[in-house]
Amino acid sequence: MNTAPPSGSTPVSASEPAPAAPRWLSDDQQRVWRSYLHATTLLEDHLDRQLQRDAGMPHMYYGLLVKLAESPRRRLRMTELAMDAKITRSRLSHAVARLEKNGWLRREDCPSDKRGQFAVLTDEGQEVLRGTAPGHVAAVRQALFDRLTPEQQKSLGEIMQIVAEGLQPNEAGADLPWLR
Amino acid sequence: MNTAPPSGSTPVSASEPAPAAPRWLSDDQQRVWRSYLHATTLLEDHLDRQLQRDAGMPHMYYGLLVKLAESPRRRLRMTELAMDAKITRSRLSHAVARLEKNGWLRREDCPSDKRGQFAVLTDEGQEVLRGTAPGHVAAVRQALFDRLTPEQQKSLGEIMQIVAEGLQPNEAGADLPWLR
DNA sequence: GGGCACTCCTTGAAGTTTGAACAATCAAGC
DNA sequence: GCTTGATTGTTCAAACTTCAAGGAGTGCCC
């Protein structure tokens, strides 16, 4: 939402520390971008409400429990969990504090590194997942997969893969296309 | 993030007020879903930081200013703005209060409906947009469009259109003359 | 062993979002 | 006019996120 030249405007003054003449998006690209913003905010809101209602937590917190459930001894180091979930350690600390208060996970000291903490999914947390996963999957199917052809699903996967790789802090593809 | 059957588990008990046997996502669909979550959270974070740094406001607030800039007299009724932006009226009230404090928009009473308020973009707000739009567009291009082929862009647009329509409270293409 | 830079995670305050409740106004019917 | 029900936008409190410190521990080098 920001992609159109200031309506009825002249270009930005040419005498600034200019990033050269701005290249606006084409009309088609603007439509795509607006659709993207619409769809992603609506979907995230939808899933947040669904999970808040059925599981008593926001989508992100649910994702943390899922990641723990999929991990070896249902546990992950804080930093690893944060990286997996693409959130800051600070945010994770707050989230884990809340989930711990709910009894859905607990912290454990790391024996080999006294600074370290494990987040461990409790049986109770596991149970919450077991009970709410079907409803959540249904919501995702209904909002997304049931509406897309197999080709579209495949295409969506490829596109999102590309975007994610491009934004990854480090990741393979990084050469030096842009400075910052 | 929630789409895999509880790992190493038996299906949910069949004796509940059951929503029938849950249909999990296929492996391919799970990969797509995870990519989707990765990409969308990374992109939203990226743009939020970019705008917070360069414009001093989060992405959503920026979107509000853009919508006002594109509107007839740079103004929109609160409710209409909220619907356009897909946010609640409450959230909009807070956002507008903050943006008003910044001097980037102001409120005006609606003459025909004493309950109503207009949000009006100020010159100062317009100026902020003019100054930060190029950088924001560049960020969007760099993160998204520059990485996708024209076919992928088209496909993404179609997919997001479908998803958005599916989640829209009502809104179809063709009627409701009272809107707009 | 004493610095020194770094990592791991937490904390507190400020900012944002949510959901429920609310006063004011409108609109329609009687 | 009066009542009822919906709409408009705001407010409060609680929850969540961000950002800037900060305490503790580790690794390394001399």
Side-chain angles (χ1 to χ4, degrees):
Chain A
M1 225 63 98
N2 61 116
T3 57
S7 51
S9 71
T10 55
V12 175
S13 150
S15 61
E16 292 184 6
R23 292 152 59 226
W24 304 107
L25 300 185
S26 70
D27 285 2
D28 280 349
Q29 288 176 329
Q30 276 194 58
R31 271 189 286 277
V32 171
W33 181 235
R34 276 160 208 258
S35 296
Y36 173 90
L37 290 176
H38 266 192
T40 53
T41 63
L42 285 173
L43 182 48
E44 181 59 14
D45 281 11
H46 184 64
L47 295 182
D48 255 340
R49 291 214 175 77
Q50 186 265 318
L51 280 171
Q52 192 67 56
R53 175 165 51 76
D54 298 345
M57 63 187 138
H59 192 195
M60 178 72 66
Y61 289 26
Y62 187 83
L64 297 177
L65 297 190
V66 171
K67 284 196 189 303
L68 291 179
E70 292 169 344
S71 298
R73 297 177 55 219
R74 283 194 200 165
R75 76 192 52 212
L76 238 31
R77 283 287 292 270
M78 293 294 280
T79 294
E80 192 175 356
L81 181 50
M83 291 197 310
D84 271 23
K86 266 79 188 159
I87 62 177
T88 61
R89 292 207 274 302
S90 170
R91 187 175 176 183
L92 180 61
S93 265
H94 290 295
V96 164
R98 199 273 225 184
L99 291 170
E100 192 172 26
K101 196 167 299 183
N102 280 275
W104 298 335
L105 61 73
R106 78 188 118 82
R107 293 180 220 236
E108 261 181 41
D109 291 343
C110 175
S112 61
D113 185 340
K114 285 175 187 164
R115 295 167 303 178
Q117 290 276 103
F118 284 102
V120 187
L121 185 67
T122 62
D123 289 349
E124 199 177 344
Q126 177 83 292
E127 214 41 54
V128 170
L129 278 188
R130 215 189 293 280
T132 56
H136 184 54
V137 177
V140 172
R141 291 190 83 86
Q142 184 214 331
L144 190 66
F145 291 103
D146 284 355
R147 299 178 187 280
L148 301 180
T149 67
E151 293 73 32
Q152 287 175 319
Q153 296 179 20
K154 178 161 175 284
S155 184
L156 179 62
E158 292 166 355
I159 291 167
M160 291 300 161
Q161 185 76 37
I162 290 170
V163 173
E165 276 167 11
L167 291 167
Q168 209 61 269
N170 42 5
E171 199 75 19
D175 308 296
L176 52 132
W178 19 287
L179 45 165
R180 173 131 311 193
Chain B
M1 223 61 99
N2 62 119
T3 57
S7 53
S9 71
T10 55
V12 174
S13 151
S15 61
E16 292 184 6
R23 292 152 58 225
W24 303 108
L25 299 185
S26 70
D27 285 0
D28 279 348
Q29 287 176 329
Q30 276 194 57
R31 271 189 285 278
V32 172
W33 181 236
R34 276 161 209 258
S35 296
Y36 173 90
L37 290 176
H38 265 191
T40 53
T41 63
L42 285 174
L43 182 49
E44 182 59 14
D45 282 10
H46 183 65
L47 296 182
D48 255 341
R49 293 217 172 76
Q50 185 265 318
L51 281 171
Q52 190 68 54
R53 175 167 52 77
D54 297 346
M57 63 188 137
H59 192 195
M60 179 73 65
Y61 288 26
Y62 186 83
L64 297 177
L65 297 190
V66 171
K67 285 198 189 303
L68 291 179
E70 293 168 344
S71 298
R73 296 178 55 217
R74 283 194 200 165
R75 74 193 53 212
L76 238 28
R77 283 287 295 270
M78 294 293 280
T79 294
E80 193 175 357
L81 181 51
M83 291 196 311
D84 271 22
K86 266 77 188 159
I87 63 178
T88 61
R89 292 205 281 298
S90 170
R91 188 174 175 183
L92 180 61
S93 265
H94 290 296
V96 164
R98 200 272 227 185
L99 291 171
E100 192 172 26
K101 195 167 299 181
N102 280 277
W104 297 335
L105 61 73
R106 79 188 117 83
R107 296 181 220 234
E108 261 181 41
D109 292 342
C110 175
S112 61
D113 184 340
K114 285 174 188 166
R115 298 166 302 179
Q117 291 276 103
F118 284 102
V120 187
L121 185 67
T122 62
D123 289 347
E124 199 177 344
Q126 177 84 292
E127 214 40 54
V128 170
L129 278 188
R130 216 188 293 279
T132 55
H136 184 54
V137 177
V140 172
R141 292 188 83 85
Q142 175 200 87
L144 190 66
F145 291 103
D146 284 355
R147 300 179 186 279
L148 301 180
T149 68
E151 294 74 30
Q152 287 175 319
Q153 296 180 19
K154 178 159 175 284
S155 185
L156 179 61
E158 292 166 356
I159 291 168
M160 291 300 162
Q161 185 75 36
I162 291 170
V163 173
E165 275 166 10
L167 291 168
Q168 207 62 272
N170 44 1
E171 181 160 354
D175 24 36
L176 311 179
W178 53 270
L179 208 158
R180 182 135 318 208

